[in-house]
Amino acid sequence: MSQLWQRDIALSQRLGNDSPVGFAPGPPATVALQESNSSLKPEAPVVTPDEPIFLMTSTAQTISGVFVWTALLLTCHQIYMHLRYYSSPNEQRHIVRVLFIVPIYAFDSWLSLLFFTNEEYYVYFDTVRDCYEAFVIYNFLSLCYEYLGGESAIMAEIRGKPIESSCMYGTCCLWGKTYSIGFLRFCKQATLQFCVVKPLMAVITVILQAFGKYRDGDFNVASGYLYVTIIYNISVSLSLYALFLFYFATRELLVPYNPVLKFFMVKSVIFLSFWQGMLLAILEKCGAIPQISSADFSVGEGTVAAGYQNFIICIEMFFAAVALRHAFTYKVYMDKRLDSYGSFPIYGQYGRCAPMKSISSSLKETMNPGDMVQDAIHNFSPAYQQYTQQSTLERSGGPPLSRSHSNLSTRGDNEKTLLLSSDDEF
């Protein structure tokens, strides 16, 4: 009888609520199935406030702070020297904009690290950082245009030349085509689209974050992170591909300007940092990075990976500052003179150095995005598709200078842009 009793209990536990035996039912079979499925997923180690991870310690904040402030001092000094010897505004305008990526990246990442325990803050900080990287790619391409004398000068050198087909360089799809104004249009349009897509994705990220639909590293189809990452990856890849195509076409012309280090630094800071963040997000998703469980502060999914990303960027920006100091040196602009002034320095009575008022006005001119807006209109408007730009300098009381002299302009000169017809297509 006791054996029958035990057998009935075991049978009822196996059958659950549908068991014909009227004893205490066991757990439903679906629950057991869910538990078995969840056990197959990798579980990340959980860290409690009593055992804080490295990012939450003062050691991490101090180490990152030392690297950040050293990078800030190096880069700010370099920017100041460029503005002090602002002898080639058309070139140095873009150089200063590129150099600002170090202070923005470094200080933004450090602030995100200081507010690590509040997951809402770092999203807003990173939004500012991500928007500026699109501005950097455009300005670097524009700097290369200025090095070579502008659109019309580049076309005079490469027009009609066949595009070398190579799978290694990503030009296999351009077999049989020649360089034309359409090629330059594509390079500019591909970089300018990133200047639109990236800020737009940043705004969407902030909105999704506010409604709880965005988490770093959350590849769920119901989360916005997956779609934002896909769109961003396509946009930045197209932008950097256009930058590479331009370098591939003009690499021989750019040799006097030592372009290899410049290209490497711009592409590594932007592109490698993105894939570095993606790798950390995947590692956290796989359970390799510990999660934090605390009732005192909110640390959601993806926040720990983003914290490690910010810490690594703080360290990397120091080395980027050193490399950019050599890539975009200010010393080549120290001895430039205006031909019209003979032996007089560019700033006349002030010697080779600019006064503080001129430095502040140069900085204001540098941060004015009006040239980017005009460039976007020129490259996207159908009315200008078959025209190249040629800049001339209209001097007060003198004949106009060519583009090669326009780099040495003074405050009283007006730069004019001419449109030259071009009938070829890409």
Side-chain angles (χ1 to χ4, degrees), residues 209-382:
Q209 171 77 12
F211 286 94
K213 297 295 184 180
Y214 183 90
R215 289 289 184 275
D216 273 331
D218 186 6
F219 293 95
N220 194 315
V221 293
S223 174
Y225 177 80
L226 175 63
Y227 306 104
V228 170
T229 301
I230 292 174
I231 296 174
Y232 171 79
N233 193 20
I234 294 173
S235 181
V236 70
S237 298
L238 180 61
S239 179
L240 292 175
Y241 175 66
L243 195 62
F244 176 79
L245 282 181
F246 180 81
Y247 170 74
F248 182 74
T250 61
R251 60 189 184 279
E252 295 179 357
L253 303 175
L254 288 170
V255 168
Y257 303 97
N258 300 318
V260 177
L261 181 59
K262 295 179 174 67
F263 270 89
F264 175 77
M265 287 308 304
V266 172
K267 295 187 75 171
S268 61
V269 168
I270 294 174
F271 201 63
L272 295 183
S273 63
F274 166 72
W275 285 109
Q276 175 179 277
M278 282 284 294
L279 177 61
L280 290 171
I282 294 173
L283 289 176
E284 183 180 15
K285 194 71 175 179
C286 295
I289 297 178
Q291 298 178 355
I292 300 177
S293 176
S294 174
D296 300 330
F297 45 81
S298 174
V299 179
E301 184 180 4
T303 305
V304 181
Y308 278 107
Q309 164 80 336
N310 289 320
F311 177 80
I312 295 174
I313 288 178
C314 290
I315 307 300
E316 291 172 341
M317 284 302 104
F318 166 76
F319 299 100
V322 175
L324 289 173
R325 194 174 182 86
H326 293 283
F328 299 97
T329 178
Y330 62 87
K331 295 180 181 179
V332 297
Y333 301 100
M334 291 177 63
D335 298 323
K336 288 195 173 182
R337 302 286 195 274
L338 268 177
D339 295 340
S340 60
Y341 285 96
S343 59
F344 288 94
I346 187 170
Y347 287 105
Q349 61 179 337
Y350 297 108
R352 293 192 306 171
C353 303
M356 289 304 299
K357 184 177 180 180
S358 296
I359 291 175
S360 61
S361 61
S362 298
L363 180 61
K364 182 180 179 180
E365 176 191 353
T366 297
M367 303 314 294
N368 184 3
D371 58 316
M372 185 179 71
V373 175
Q374 294 179 358
D375 204 14
I377 295 174
H378 175 78
N379 282 278
F380 283 101
S381 175

Side-chain angles (χ1 to χ4, degrees), residues 107-146:
F107 193 67
D108 177 274
S109 299
W110 192 54
L111 282 180
S112 299
L113 201 60
L114 295 180
F115 292 94
F116 171 72
T117 54
N118 194 322
E119 63 174 347
E120 295 181 356
Y121 287 169
Y122 87 90
V123 173
Y124 303 116
F125 291 145
D126 292 353
T127 297
V128 177
R129 181 186 71 192
D130 294 342
C131 288
Y132 194 77
E133 69 182 27
F135 193 49
V136 168
I137 294 180
Y138 162 77
N139 277 281
F140 181 69
L141 181 62
S142 299
L143 175 62
C144 294
Y145 271 59
E146 295 296 337

